[in-house]
């Protein structure tokens, strides 16, 4: 499945020319290897990527939360007694929220921040980084250089790997943007924008 810079920037006008170019080149080069090989699948993939990455502009998870937001978003991990220590400190926040899950060690291990969400569809947690690192598509020592997933081509290849590993084409083939959003996001955050982006990409790719 080939796409052009013009098609990318038509739907993602806030993407820089450089990132739009990288998206077009690498998508055209690798999409078939990950099974994103029809216009409908491409539209669904790119719509989710556009939303998750804010049009290719946010490639590393933002964890710069205020005390008030931490208490709202993560009441399981933060209380009025401890929130002041973590507020506006992304490293501390990530290490607490992601501790002892997704293959990460304890809060003190630093895994939460080291393996925080990166890429167009955020790869998060040591176990997910390791899965991609062990795949045929990863080149180099990713576990020592997790920042590679915020850089091209790792940002895109890791997202395609997530798509392939989680069989996301089943939702694309069923035109089920709701089900796919839940799989990627864990909920329906930004659902209206995802639907709009999907409709735009369908129009560009002539998907009925």
């Amino acid at each position: 499945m080939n796409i052009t810079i013009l098609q990318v920037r038509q739907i993602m006008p806030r993407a820089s020319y450089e990132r739009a170019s990288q998206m077009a080149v690498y998508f055209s080069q690798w999409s078939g290897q990950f099974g994103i090989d029809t216009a409908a699948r491409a539209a669904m993939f790119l719509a989710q990527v556009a939303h998750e990455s804010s049009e290719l502009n946010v490639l590393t998870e933002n964890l710069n939360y205020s005390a008030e937001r931490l208490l709202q978003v993560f009441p399981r991990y933060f209380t009025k007694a401890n929130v002041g220590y973590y507020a506006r400190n992304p490293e501390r926040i990530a290490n607490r929220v992601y501790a002892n899950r997704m293959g990460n060690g304890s809060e003190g291990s630093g895994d939460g921040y080291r393996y925080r969400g990166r890429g167009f569809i955020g790869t998060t947690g040591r176990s997910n980084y390791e899965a991609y690192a062990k795949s045929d598509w990863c080149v180099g020592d990713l576990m020592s250089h997790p920042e590679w997933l915020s850089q091209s081509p790792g940002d895109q290849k890791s997202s395609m790997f997530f798509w392939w590993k989680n069989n996301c084409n089943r939702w694309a083939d069923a035109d089920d943007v709701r089900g796919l959003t839940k799989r990627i996001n864990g909920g329906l955050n930004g659902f209206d924008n995802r639907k709009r982006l999907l409709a735009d990409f369908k129009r560009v790719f002539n998907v009925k």
Side-chain angles (χ1 to χ4, degrees):
M1 177 73 192
N2 293 325
I3 63 173
T4 67
I5 300 172
L6 179 61
Q7 288 173 323
V8 173
R9 298 201 77 198
Q10 185 175 348
I11 309 304
M12 293 187 267
R14 293 191 294 113
S16 68
Y17 184 86
E18 179 183 11
R19 287 186 175 170
S21 176
Q22 291 167 345
M23 166 60 78
V25 169
Y26 292 133
F27 184 90
S28 299
Q29 180 178 345
W30 289 316
S31 58
Q33 296 181 44
F34 293 94
I36 311 172
D37 51 7
T38 69
R41 292 176 176 184
M44 189 73 82
F45 174 80
L46 291 168
Q48 293 289 335
V49 161
H51 179 82
E52 288 288 315
S53 67
S54 294
E55 297 184 21
L56 312 185
N57 286 297
V58 178
L59 305 181
T60 302
E61 184 177 11
N62 180 10
L63 291 154
N64 188 22
Y65 289 97
S66 67
E68 182 180 9
R69 283 297 290 162
L70 286 176
L71 292 173
Q72 291 173 348
V73 178
F74 302 111
R76 177 179 176 183
Y77 301 100
F78 303 103
T79 66
K80 290 183 179 179
N82 71 9
V83 72
Y85 176 75
Y86 295 95
R88 297 301 184 189
N89 189 312
E91 185 170 359
R92 290 177 181 174
I93 292 170
N95 286 335
R96 181 163 182 81
V97 170
Y98 292 138
N100 300 309
R101 60 194 186 97
M102 297 182 291
N104 291 337
S106 66
E107 185 173 345
S109 72
D111 283 351
Y113 188 71
R114 186 177 300 112
Y115 302 116
R116 65 194 184 278
R118 291 187 175 93
F120 292 145
I121 298 178
T123 298
T124 308
R126 174 183 279 274
S127 60
N128 289 315
Y129 274 74
E130 286 179 338
Y132 177 62
K134 292 175 182 177
S135 75
D136 293 336
W137 294 288
C138 183
V139 178
D141 184 6
L142 175 66
M143 302 310 291
S144 297
H145 297 279
E147 70 277 5
W148 288 349
L149 295 195
S150 296
Q151 303 165 10
S152 185
D155 47 13
Q156 184 160 196
K157 289 175 72 179
S158 62
S159 298
M160 289 181 169
F161 177 76
F162 172 93
W163 188 272
W164 170 81
K165 185 173 181 289
N166 289 278
N167 192 22
C168 292
N169 282 325
R170 60 177 167 171
W171 288 288
D173 293 343
D175 197 28
D176 183 4
V177 63
R178 177 179 291 270
L180 180 57
T181 296
K182 287 183 177 180
R183 178 63 191 87
I184 290 174
N185 176 258
L188 291 172
N189 292 334
F191 183 60
D192 288 342
N193 189 50
R194 295 172 202 262
K195 287 196 301 182
R196 179 190 65 79
L197 288 163
L198 177 59
D200 288 345
F201 274 112
K202 282 182 173 180
R203 174 175 46 78
V204 167
F205 296 148
N206 295 314
V207 177
K208 305 301 182 183

